[in-house]
Amino acid sequence: MGLLMNIVSSPTAAQNPSDSDTETRHDWQQDEILALFDLPLMDLVFEAQRVHRLYHDPNKVQLSQLISIKTGGCAEDCAYCSQASTHKEGTGLTATKLMEVERVVNAARKAKQGGASRYCMGAAWTSPKDRDMDQLVAMVEGVKDLGMETCMTLGMLSDHQTAMLKDAGLDYYNHNVDTSEEYYGKIISTRTYQDRIDTLSRVRDAGINVCSGGIVGMGEERRDRAGMLKTLANLPSHPESVPINMLVAVPGTPLENVEALDPFEFVRTIAVARIMMPKAEVRLSAGRQSMSEELQAMCFMAGASSIFYGEQLLTTPNPENNKDLALFEKLGLTAV
Ligand code: SAM
Ligand code: DTB
Ligand code: SF4
């Protein structure tokens, strides 16, 4: 534990855990992050749970529900994605136009009735077209009127588009860095890592909460998982939400046969994210459909404070509500 205490907190923080600023850092070095990953799992999870309890109720989990408001036919070439039009084999997905506002709001109402508190609307775009903005604004307003938090993920945004979404009342914008800067080129060639960072600063500057994380299990090394978390934690402000996705290996994508990640390495990634970004919501995101209840419980122990809820993510399945609620009951967790 000596090494651990050196890495994660100053003596002041250990003596005075209510002093929040002593635990919020933006100067993480790769070797310290790897040292966290290298800890015995019990030490790592214990420390993550300690940090988690400083800022979060350990028995509450936030529920966000997704909807794909425009599916498929995307001009980007993200190797993991079912919606990229470039994947030669094809993922069998039918591309759709932007959904009508009423359909989105009706689906959000159902999600709220089912227990979700945040509604996350995703579009398979490089960036929105200006002609779509009025429809997107109406979606944000309609979902907010239901008393839900709103989130959108639409690709890159211009300053003007960001301002329109902020004025509509958008609470969160999701845009993931996806992996480390070094591994990024193996996954996406159509936009740069810096493009993503620029979008995140535009969102931050507009006063919208930032949701940014990435995917693990894409054949990357541990140093890439560490590098991804370093990018996120060393942003000028930590993202308010950090989705950690386990790759859903979709047939027809270049990553369909990638070797599955060891589940304990996934737990480690959640724990290190929790320690590095103590106040953020760390979301146990894609991949839960193929996770055991025990693995999900370990992710909550490691500091995951949120999940995607509802039977569908964007294009792939997610556990049924009843199954999630039964797990919460068994673990004594309350959905918020
Ligand atoms: N097109 C927009 C963009 O890329 O910013 C928004 C939607 S995109 C599907 C949102 C995120 O979902 C991606 O950045 C990626 O992290 C995650 N994602 C997509 N496909 C995935 C998969 N097969 N497995 C796990 N995560 C995935
Ligand atoms: C995020 O990090 N994960 C969500 C959300 N942000 C938009 C998307 C997961 C998509 C999983 C694959 C699919 O369903 O297409
Ligand atoms: Fe398009 Fe987003 Fe999929 Fe990349 S992740 S191909 S940008 S929908």
Side-chain angles (χ1 to χ4, degrees), residues 6 9 30 34 74 108 118 122 128 141 147 159 171 174 183 187 211 224 226 237 264-265 290 308-309 331 334:
N6 287 342
S9 52
Q30 180 79 357
L34 285 172
C74 186
R118 187 178 308 164
E141 290 171 346
D159 284 335
D171 296 299
N174 167 245
Y183 198 67
I187 300 296
C211 171
D224 299 303
S237 306
F264 294 123
E265 184 67 12
S290 53
F308 282 122
Y309 181 68
L331 301 180
T334 309

Side-chain angles (χ1 to χ4, degrees), residues 74-325:
C74 186
E76 301 294 314
D77 68 351
C78 312
Y80 49 77
C81 187
S82 61
Q83 307 198 67
S85 55
T86 49
H87 301 151
K88 287 189 290 294
E89 317 243 323
T91 54
L93 205 69
T94 311
T96 66
K97 290 200 297 194
L98 182 59
M99 208 179 258
E100 286 161 20
V101 176
E102 203 184 331
R103 264 187 77 191
V104 175
V105 176
N106 284 339
R109 190 176 292 112
K110 283 204 190 107
K112 188 180 180 195
Q113 284 161 0
S117 59
R118 187 178 308 164
Y119 205 55
C120 180
M121 296 160 264
W125 283 326
T126 298
S127 50
K129 301 267 187 306
D130 283 341
R131 63 166 186 265
D132 294 321
M133 289 309 296
D134 287 344
Q135 206 168 324
L136 296 169
V137 161
M139 286 177 196
V140 173
E141 290 171 346
V143 175
K144 271 197 89 75
D145 282 348
L146 301 173
M148 295 184 89
E149 289 184 319
T150 51
C151 178
M152 280 185 157
T153 180
L154 314 168
M156 296 183 285
L157 296 178
S158 68
D159 284 335
H160 178 61
Q161 291 170 338
T162 315
M164 283 183 80
L165 293 173
K166 171 67 184 167
D167 288 347
L170 184 69
D171 296 299
Y172 290 82
Y173 194 77
N174 167 245
H175 197 64
N176 291 340
V177 298
D178 277 348
T179 186
S180 67
E181 186 162 14
E182 294 74 22
Y183 198 67
Y184 184 87
K186 295 214 163 31
I187 300 296
I188 298 142
S189 76
T190 45
R191 67 176 159 214
T192 66
Y193 208 66
Q194 190 58 45
D195 288 335
R196 291 184 181 252
I197 305 284
D198 292 346
T199 299
L200 293 178
S201 48
R202 201 164 281 133
V203 169
R204 171 66 71 210
D205 290 348
I208 301 173
N209 291 310
V210 170
C211 171
S212 188
I215 311 178
V216 299
M218 298 195 292
E220 78 285 343
E221 303 284 338
R222 179 178 275 184
R223 64 170 175 268
D224 299 303
R225 294 184 279 279
M228 173 181 88
L229 297 179
K230 180 170 150 226
T231 299
L232 294 167
N234 289 351
L235 289 170
S237 306
H238 292 170
E240 280 75 13
S241 272
V242 179
I244 304 293
N245 297 277
M246 178 81 105
L247 176 75
V248 180
V250 179
T253 63
L255 298 184
E256 69 174 311
N257 293 319
V258 80
E259 196 185 331
L261 187 74
D262 184 310
F264 294 123
E265 184 67 12
F266 186 76
V267 174
R268 285 180 185 277
T269 308
I270 299 255
V272 176
R274 164 53 66 227
I275 291 167
M276 292 174 70
M277 293 169 278
K279 295 180 192 165
E281 253 162 31
V282 173
R283 184 167 304 116
L284 165 55
S285 300
R288 288 197 307 113
Q289 178 76 340
S290 53
M291 289 180 197
S292 68
E293 291 192 332
E294 294 86 341
L295 174 56
Q296 293 182 63
M298 275 203 84
C299 291
F300 296 130
M301 285 169 70
S305 57
S306 167
I307 58 167
F308 282 122
Y309 181 68
E311 288 158 27
Q312 177 93 350
L313 293 166
L314 289 173
T315 67
T316 64
N318 198 41
E320 289 169 5
N321 289 6
N322 286 347
K323 221 175 149 192
D324 282 340
L325 296 178

Side-chain angles (χ1 to χ4, degrees), residues 2-17:
L3 170 67
L4 179 60
M5 293 312 290
N6 287 342
I7 297 168
V8 297
S9 52
S10 65
T12 321
Q15 285 154 17
N16 180 14

